[in-house]
Amino acid sequence: MAFLFPGQGSQSVGMGRELAALYPVARETFDEADDALGYKLSQLCFEGPEEQLKLTEITQPAILTVSVAAWRVLQSKAIAPSYVAGHSLGEYSAHVAAGTLSFTDAVRTVRNRGKYMQEAVPVGVGAMAAVLALASDEVQQICEEAAQGEVSQAANLNSPEQTVISGSKGAVERAVEMTKKRGAKRAIMLPVSAPFHCALMQPAQDRLAEDLRALAFHTPQVPVMCNVDAMLVTTAEQAREALIRQVTGSVQWDKSMRALAALGVQNFVEVGPGKVLCGLMRQIDRSRTCLNVDDETSLQKMLNHFSPASPKD
């Protein structure tokens, strides 16, 4: 079994509220986040407003906190994974679950990560777009052609069906038009506040590197599949360096999931808000089971699936 932790874009007002109401360990997670950040993150998760929850420096610690709360509930039910992975921001949740980072350190770090990413590029200078139903290697080729001296990169190689591109606004717009002409089913500009996972994020990466090098990292107790290399991270130093490189590097999600499947993982559990990663798994490998846990209904469904009466992974 592998636990998967979602990234930015999976947030919604009300997330985590039910788990916090029902499970003390989840409520304590939100209290811990509120104390670490010095404001009521829990209130923004449970009640909004959505405009605030969508701000990158709030979104990132919010999704991390909901994910860790859900993971701690699973831990209290003695459900443990053989591997963990997280999409972009979700890699921090994965490292908390693996024991690489303390939750308090992680929640403060991702608050800063969001802030640094937002400040790295003036609003309107960068852009991101999703390209559907065009091979990722062709999308990467188009990005190179569209750059014309600007930045244009494949930022998220999510599945055979979906690649997200990131970079300078003009270059991304050119790439979108080119992908349509080359047969993409759809290519749409995304409503994001910054061009994540491309070379324009270098200032954010440099600032974050200082923060991460000042933190205590521990040997992961569970192997972590990292975004940038689609390889398992098993030491503290590998974990730190992968999180640094991740800011400008591409998210190799498709390769990461295939690598876990090749290791024999049959069951995937998306731990945290939404079902984005389960949706991608259906596009990557339909023979695998993917369940999500973000409220009481989904938790019970997952527990029933893995109850002693059913065969273990």
Side-chain angles (χ1 to χ4, degrees):
M1 188 195 298
F3 283 179
L4 310 178
F5 295 92
Q8 202 158 332
S10 290
Q11 70 276 4
S12 62
V13 173
M15 63 181 185
R17 183 170 51 203
E18 191 176 31
L19 291 179
L22 293 172
Y23 298 97
V25 72
R27 178 69 250 183
E28 285 157 19
T29 305
F30 283 98
D31 292 344
E32 207 178 321
D34 291 352
D35 290 345
L37 296 172
Y39 67 87
K40 287 281 186 189
L41 181 75
S42 56
Q43 194 172 346
L44 291 171
C45 289
F46 302 161
E47 299 166 24
E50 190 179 1
E51 293 69 41
Q52 260 189 292
L53 195 58
K54 284 199 311 203
L55 296 172
T56 299
E57 64 182 277
I58 290 173
T59 307
Q60 295 203 15
I63 290 173
L64 173 90
T65 301
V66 176
S67 298
V68 170
W71 164 68
R72 285 176 171 172
V73 172
L74 286 171
Q75 199 181 29
S76 74
K77 305 282 185 189
I79 304 283
S82 304
Y83 304 95
V84 292
H87 191 286
S88 186
L89 157 73
E91 197 164 319
Y92 285 81
S93 308
H95 278 298
V96 173
T100 323
L101 276 174
S102 75
F103 173 57
T104 301
D105 280 349
V107 80
R108 288 188 183 131
T109 301
V110 300
R111 185 233 349 240
N112 291 345
R113 179 180 183 266
K115 187 167 178 285
Y116 300 158
M117 289 168 110
Q118 192 60 68
E119 291 172 355
V121 181
V123 173
V125 171
M128 296 182 79
V131 180
L132 305 182
L134 191 65
S136 60
D137 52 357
E138 184 152 7
V139 175
Q140 287 173 288
Q141 178 65 42
I142 288 168
C143 285
E144 287 173 29
E145 292 172 29
Q148 297 176 20
E150 293 184 308
V151 173
S152 174
Q153 286 174 240
N156 300 1
L157 295 102
N158 283 335
S159 76
E161 297 286 310
Q162 187 191 110
T163 304
V164 175
I165 56 181
S166 182
S168 314
K169 191 164 184 281
V172 172
E173 286 171 345
R174 285 192 295 274
V176 162
E177 289 312 307
M178 289 167 77
T179 58
K180 287 176 183 172
K181 286 175 187 163
R182 304 264 184 100
K185 188 170 159 189
R186 282 181 79 198
I188 43 173
M189 301 297 286
L190 296 175
V192 293
S193 53
F196 305 127
H197 300 291
C198 76
L200 295 176
M201 286 287 116
Q202 191 63 51
Q205 181 163 307
D206 294 342
R207 292 170 77 185
L208 187 66
E210 282 188 43
D211 292 358
L212 288 171
R213 290 195 173 117
L215 290 185
F217 274 69
H218 308 283
T219 303
Q221 292 156 11
V222 180
V224 182
M225 183 61 71
C226 87
N227 285 192
V228 284
D229 303 315
M231 289 169 66
L232 292 175
V233 165
T234 55
T235 72
E237 208 43 52
Q238 281 177 329
R240 190 195 317 267
E241 291 307 311
L243 288 175
I244 292 169
R245 289 186 293 125
Q246 188 212 57
V247 181
T248 57
S250 302
V251 176
Q252 302 282 348
W253 193 252
D254 187 0
K255 277 187 189 169
S256 296
M257 294 305 98
R258 290 178 194 279
L260 287 172
L263 288 165
V265 177
Q266 186 61 45
N267 298 300
F268 293 83
V269 181
E270 181 170 1
V271 183
K275 300 179 185 176
V276 170
L277 303 181
C278 283
L280 293 178
M281 183 55 71
R282 279 196 297 276
Q283 296 173 6
I284 295 165
D285 188 344
R286 281 186 170 272
S287 73
R288 311 289 151 166
T289 300
C290 192
L291 299 167
N292 73 299
V293 173
D294 66 355
D295 60 12
E296 179 63 8
T297 303
S298 56
L299 171 67
Q300 292 306 326
K301 184 181 173 185
M302 185 266 179
L303 292 174
N304 290 339
H305 186 86
F306 297 113
S307 67
S310 67
K312 284 282 184 254
D313 56 298

